[in-house]
Amino acid sequence: MSLLLVVMGVAGCGKSSLGSALAQALGCPLIEGDDFHTEANREKMRRGVALDDRDREGWLDRLAAEMRLFPRGAVLTCSALKRKYRDRLRAALPGLRFAYLRIDEAQARARVSARAEHMFPPSLVPSQFAALEPPEGEAGVLTLDAQRPVDELARHTLRWLQREGA
């Protein structure tokens, strides 16, 4: 049985940090969702223009295809902001689970502002929250407080995955 996990949330919530810790602990590859954006999407974000549903469709399909390359499992970092995005990934990857890093807008903006050399400018943080449909209550979702230390978040997620039979 493979483990397919998406670490999700708005920009600045800590997806890459937690994803990396989980991939290492689980001994599986980390797939950074941002690496699979088209150059057009990257340029749009650098200009401070929020991506729309059409921009994300092909990206989500590329992410699902990449995850299928790892039959023993993988950890993916992906904003997965809307239910329909998560459902698109679920349809392509049965048994997919999500670890949702919940953070408030001020904290996310502060974190994004502190990142140097990232394609995502702080001015786009409000658009992430406008698009966000929190996944609480959906099956296969663990909600985490993004303000907690990464090692604590990783331990909590690993325990949850064990309880889930992953």
Side-chain angles (χ1 to χ4, degrees), residues 53-54 56-65 68 80 82-94 96 98:
D53 290 350
R54 281 174 300 157
R56 290 188 175 105
E57 284 178 0
W59 176 63
L60 292 166
D61 293 342
R62 283 188 294 282
L63 295 177
R68 282 193 297 271
K82 293 183 180 183
R83 172 90 186 234
K84 68 181 178 179
Y85 302 163
R86 296 185 293 275
D87 287 346
R88 188 178 190 111
L89 291 170
R90 286 180 179 113
L93 302 160
L96 185 63
F98 292 84

Short mmCIF file of all heavy atoms in Angstrom, two decimals, residues 53-54 56-65 68 80 82-94 96 98:
data_model
loop_
_atom_site.label_atom_id
_atom_site.label_comp_id
_atom_site.label_asym_id
_atom_site.label_seq_id
_atom_site.Cartn_x
_atom_site.Cartn_y
_atom_site.Cartn_z
N ASP A 53 -8.56 29.56 -11.79
CA ASP A 53 -8.84 28.12 -11.93
C ASP A 53 -8.21 27.54 -13.19
O ASP A 53 -7.66 26.44 -13.16
CB ASP A 53 -10.35 27.87 -11.95
CG ASP A 53 -11.01 28.12 -10.60
OD1 ASP A 53 -10.29 28.30 -9.59
OD2 ASP A 53 -12.26 28.12 -10.55
N ARG A 54 -8.28 28.26 -14.30
CA ARG A 54 -7.70 27.76 -15.55
C ARG A 54 -6.20 27.59 -15.44
O ARG A 54 -5.64 26.63 -15.95
CB ARG A 54 -8.04 28.68 -16.72
CG ARG A 54 -9.45 28.47 -17.25
CD ARG A 54 -9.77 29.48 -18.30
NE ARG A 54 -9.64 30.78 -17.61
CZ ARG A 54 -9.42 31.93 -18.20
NH1 ARG A 54 -9.30 32.00 -19.49
NH2 ARG A 54 -9.33 33.05 -17.52
N ARG A 56 -4.59 26.79 -12.86
CA ARG A 56 -4.28 25.69 -11.94
C ARG A 56 -4.66 24.32 -12.49
O ARG A 56 -4.13 23.31 -12.01
CB ARG A 56 -4.97 25.94 -10.60
CG ARG A 56 -4.34 27.10 -9.84
CD ARG A 56 -4.93 27.19 -8.44
NE ARG A 56 -4.26 28.21 -7.65
CZ ARG A 56 -4.78 29.40 -7.36
NH1 ARG A 56 -5.97 29.74 -7.81
NH2 ARG A 56 -4.10 30.26 -6.62
N GLU A 57 -5.56 24.23 -13.46
CA GLU A 57 -6.02 22.93 -13.95
C GLU A 57 -4.87 22.06 -14.45
O GLU A 57 -4.70 20.92 -14.00
CB GLU A 57 -7.07 23.10 -15.05
CG GLU A 57 -8.42 23.49 -14.53
CD GLU A 57 -9.42 23.72 -15.64
OE1 GLU A 57 -9.07 23.57 -16.84
OE2 GLU A 57 -10.57 24.04 -15.32
N GLY A 58 -4.11 22.55 -15.38
CA GLY A 58 -2.99 21.78 -15.92
C GLY A 58 -1.95 21.49 -14.86
O GLY A 58 -1.35 20.40 -14.84
N TRP A 59 -1.74 22.45 -13.97
CA TRP A 59 -0.79 22.28 -12.87
C TRP A 59 -1.21 21.11 -11.98
O TRP A 59 -0.39 20.24 -11.65
CB TRP A 59 -0.70 23.59 -12.08
CG TRP A 59 0.16 23.57 -10.87
CD1 TRP A 59 1.51 23.37 -10.82
CD2 TRP A 59 -0.26 23.83 -9.53
NE1 TRP A 59 1.94 23.47 -9.52
CE2 TRP A 59 0.88 23.76 -8.71
CE3 TRP A 59 -1.49 24.12 -8.95
CZ2 TRP A 59 0.82 23.96 -7.34
CZ3 TRP A 59 -1.55 24.32 -7.57
CH2 TRP A 59 -0.39 24.24 -6.79
N LEU A 60 -2.48 21.05 -11.62
CA LEU A 60 -2.97 19.96 -10.78
C LEU A 60 -2.82 18.62 -11.49
O LEU A 60 -2.44 17.62 -10.86
CB LEU A 60 -4.43 20.21 -10.38
CG LEU A 60 -4.64 21.39 -9.43
CD1 LEU A 60 -6.13 21.75 -9.39
CD2 LEU A 60 -4.11 21.10 -8.04
N ASP A 61 -3.08 18.59 -12.78
CA ASP A 61 -2.92 17.35 -13.55
C ASP A 61 -1.45 16.92 -13.58
O ASP A 61 -1.15 15.73 -13.46
CB ASP A 61 -3.46 17.51 -14.96
CG ASP A 61 -4.98 17.69 -14.99
OD1 ASP A 61 -5.65 17.35 -13.99
OD2 ASP A 61 -5.48 18.19 -16.02
N ARG A 62 -0.53 17.88 -13.74
CA ARG A 62 0.90 17.55 -13.72
C ARG A 62 1.32 17.00 -12.37
O ARG A 62 2.12 16.07 -12.27
CB ARG A 62 1.74 18.78 -14.08
CG ARG A 62 1.75 19.11 -15.57
CD ARG A 62 2.73 20.21 -15.93
NE ARG A 62 2.39 21.51 -15.38
CZ ARG A 62 1.46 22.32 -15.86
NH1 ARG A 62 0.75 21.97 -16.92
NH2 ARG A 62 1.23 23.49 -15.30
N LEU A 63 0.78 17.58 -11.29
CA LEU A 63 1.12 17.11 -9.95
C LEU A 63 0.63 15.67 -9.73
O LEU A 63 1.35 14.84 -9.18
CB LEU A 63 0.53 18.04 -8.89
CG LEU A 63 1.08 19.46 -8.87
CD1 LEU A 63 0.37 20.29 -7.82
CD2 LEU A 63 2.58 19.46 -8.64
N ALA A 64 -0.60 15.39 -10.15
CA ALA A 64 -1.13 14.03 -10.00
C ALA A 64 -0.29 13.04 -10.81
O ALA A 64 0.04 11.96 -10.32
CB ALA A 64 -2.59 13.99 -10.44
N ALA A 65 0.09 13.41 -12.02
CA ALA A 65 0.92 12.53 -12.86
C ALA A 65 2.27 12.29 -12.20
O ALA A 65 2.78 11.16 -12.21
CB ALA A 65 1.10 13.14 -14.26
N ARG A 68 1.94 9.80 -9.36
CA ARG A 68 1.76 8.42 -9.83
C ARG A 68 3.08 7.75 -10.20
O ARG A 68 3.16 6.53 -10.29
CB ARG A 68 0.78 8.38 -11.01
CG ARG A 68 -0.67 8.49 -10.56
CD ARG A 68 -1.63 8.13 -11.69
NE ARG A 68 -1.54 9.03 -12.82
CZ ARG A 68 -2.24 10.16 -12.96
NH1 ARG A 68 -3.08 10.54 -12.02
NH2 ARG A 68 -2.09 10.90 -14.03
N ALA A 80 -3.62 23.65 -2.88
CA ALA A 80 -4.91 22.94 -2.87
C ALA A 80 -6.00 23.78 -2.18
O ALA A 80 -6.74 23.30 -1.34
CB ALA A 80 -4.76 21.57 -2.19
N LYS A 82 -8.90 25.18 -3.04
CA LYS A 82 -10.34 24.97 -3.20
C LYS A 82 -10.69 23.49 -3.15
O LYS A 82 -9.89 22.63 -3.52
CB LYS A 82 -10.81 25.53 -4.55
CG LYS A 82 -10.71 27.04 -4.64
CD LYS A 82 -11.26 27.53 -5.96
CE LYS A 82 -11.17 29.05 -6.08
NZ LYS A 82 -11.77 29.52 -7.34
N ARG A 83 -11.91 23.22 -2.73
CA ARG A 83 -12.38 21.83 -2.66
C ARG A 83 -12.27 21.16 -4.03
O ARG A 83 -11.87 20.01 -4.14
CB ARG A 83 -13.84 21.82 -2.16
CG ARG A 83 -14.51 20.47 -2.22
CD ARG A 83 -14.29 19.71 -0.96
NE ARG A 83 -14.79 18.35 -1.02
CZ ARG A 83 -15.63 17.84 -0.14
NH1 ARG A 83 -16.11 18.57 0.82
NH2 ARG A 83 -15.99 16.59 -0.23
N LYS A 84 -12.62 21.89 -5.09
CA LYS A 84 -12.57 21.26 -6.41
C LYS A 84 -11.14 20.91 -6.82
O LYS A 84 -10.93 19.94 -7.55
CB LYS A 84 -13.26 22.12 -7.48
CG LYS A 84 -12.60 23.42 -7.82
CD LYS A 84 -13.45 24.12 -8.89
CE LYS A 84 -12.89 25.45 -9.28
NZ LYS A 84 -13.73 26.07 -10.31
N TYR A 85 -10.15 21.63 -6.33
CA TYR A 85 -8.75 21.27 -6.60
C TYR A 85 -8.40 19.98 -5.87
O TYR A 85 -7.76 19.08 -6.43
CB TYR A 85 -7.78 22.36 -6.15
CG TYR A 85 -7.98 23.73 -6.74
CD1 TYR A 85 -7.39 24.83 -6.14
CD2 TYR A 85 -8.73 23.94 -7.89
CE1 TYR A 85 -7.55 26.11 -6.65
CE2 TYR A 85 -8.89 25.22 -8.42
CZ TYR A 85 -8.29 26.30 -7.79
OH TYR A 85 -8.44 27.56 -8.30
N ARG A 86 -8.81 19.90 -4.61
CA ARG A 86 -8.54 18.68 -3.83
C ARG A 86 -9.27 17.49 -4.43
O ARG A 86 -8.71 16.39 -4.54
CB ARG A 86 -8.92 18.90 -2.36
CG ARG A 86 -8.07 19.98 -1.70
CD ARG A 86 -8.35 20.12 -0.22
NE ARG A 86 -9.67 20.63 0.11
CZ ARG A 86 -10.01 21.92 0.17
NH1 ARG A 86 -9.11 22.87 -0.10
NH2 ARG A 86 -11.23 22.29 0.53
N ASP A 87 -10.52 17.71 -4.86
CA ASP A 87 -11.28 16.62 -5.46
C ASP A 87 -10.66 16.17 -6.79
O ASP A 87 -10.69 14.98 -7.11
CB ASP A 87 -12.74 17.04 -5.67
CG ASP A 87 -13.51 17.08 -4.36
OD1 ASP A 87 -13.02 16.55 -3.34
OD2 ASP A 87 -14.62 17.65 -4.35
N ARG A 88 -10.10 17.09 -7.54
CA ARG A 88 -9.42 16.73 -8.79
C ARG A 88 -8.22 15.82 -8.49
O ARG A 88 -8.00 14.82 -9.18
CB ARG A 88 -8.97 18.00 -9.51
CG ARG A 88 -8.44 17.77 -10.91
CD ARG A 88 -8.07 19.11 -11.56
NE ARG A 88 -7.77 18.93 -12.96
CZ ARG A 88 -8.52 19.38 -13.94
NH1 ARG A 88 -9.63 20.04 -13.69
NH2 ARG A 88 -8.17 19.18 -15.19
N LEU A 89 -7.46 16.17 -7.46
CA LEU A 89 -6.33 15.33 -7.05
C LEU A 89 -6.81 13.99 -6.50
O LEU A 89 -6.23 12.94 -6.81
CB LEU A 89 -5.47 16.06 -6.01
CG LEU A 89 -4.68 17.26 -6.52
CD1 LEU A 89 -4.08 18.05 -5.36
CD2 LEU A 89 -3.59 16.81 -7.50
N ARG A 90 -7.87 14.01 -5.70
CA ARG A 90 -8.42 12.75 -5.15
C ARG A 90 -8.88 11.81 -6.26
O ARG A 90 -8.70 10.59 -6.17
CB ARG A 90 -9.60 13.05 -4.22
CG ARG A 90 -9.22 13.62 -2.89
CD ARG A 90 -10.49 13.88 -2.06
NE ARG A 90 -10.17 14.41 -0.76
CZ ARG A 90 -10.48 15.64 -0.35
NH1 ARG A 90 -11.16 16.47 -1.14
NH2 ARG A 90 -10.15 16.04 0.86
N ALA A 91 -9.53 12.36 -7.29
CA ALA A 91 -10.02 11.53 -8.39
C ALA A 91 -8.86 10.85 -9.12
O ALA A 91 -8.99 9.70 -9.56
CB ALA A 91 -10.83 12.39 -9.37
N ALA A 92 -7.74 11.53 -9.21
CA ALA A 92 -6.57 10.98 -9.90
C ALA A 92 -5.75 10.05 -9.00
O ALA A 92 -5.02 9.20 -9.50
CB ALA A 92 -5.69 12.13 -10.40
N LEU A 93 -5.88 10.23 -7.68
CA LEU A 93 -5.02 9.52 -6.72
C LEU A 93 -5.87 8.96 -5.58
O LEU A 93 -5.94 9.55 -4.50
CB LEU A 93 -3.95 10.47 -6.18
CG LEU A 93 -3.04 11.12 -7.22
CD1 LEU A 93 -2.38 12.36 -6.67
CD2 LEU A 93 -2.02 10.11 -7.70
N PRO A 94 -6.53 7.83 -5.79
CA PRO A 94 -7.36 7.26 -4.72
C PRO A 94 -6.55 7.05 -3.43
O PRO A 94 -5.39 6.65 -3.47
CB PRO A 94 -7.81 5.92 -5.31
CG PRO A 94 -7.74 6.13 -6.80
CD PRO A 94 -6.56 7.04 -7.01
N LEU A 96 -5.70 9.43 -1.41
CA LEU A 96 -4.91 10.62 -1.10
C LEU A 96 -5.35 11.24 0.22
O LEU A 96 -6.54 11.33 0.51
CB LEU A 96 -5.09 11.64 -2.23
CG LEU A 96 -4.26 12.91 -2.18
CD1 LEU A 96 -2.77 12.60 -2.28
CD2 LEU A 96 -4.68 13.85 -3.30
N PHE A 98 -4.55 14.62 3.11
CA PHE A 98 -4.12 16.01 3.15
C PHE A 98 -3.77 16.40 4.58
O PHE A 98 -4.54 16.12 5.50
CB PHE A 98 -5.23 16.95 2.66
CG PHE A 98 -5.54 16.81 1.20
CD1 PHE A 98 -6.41 15.82 0.76
CD2 PHE A 98 -4.98 17.66 0.27
CE1 PHE A 98 -6.70 15.68 -0.59
CE2 PHE A 98 -5.27 17.53 -1.07
CZ PHE A 98 -6.13 16.54 -1.50
#
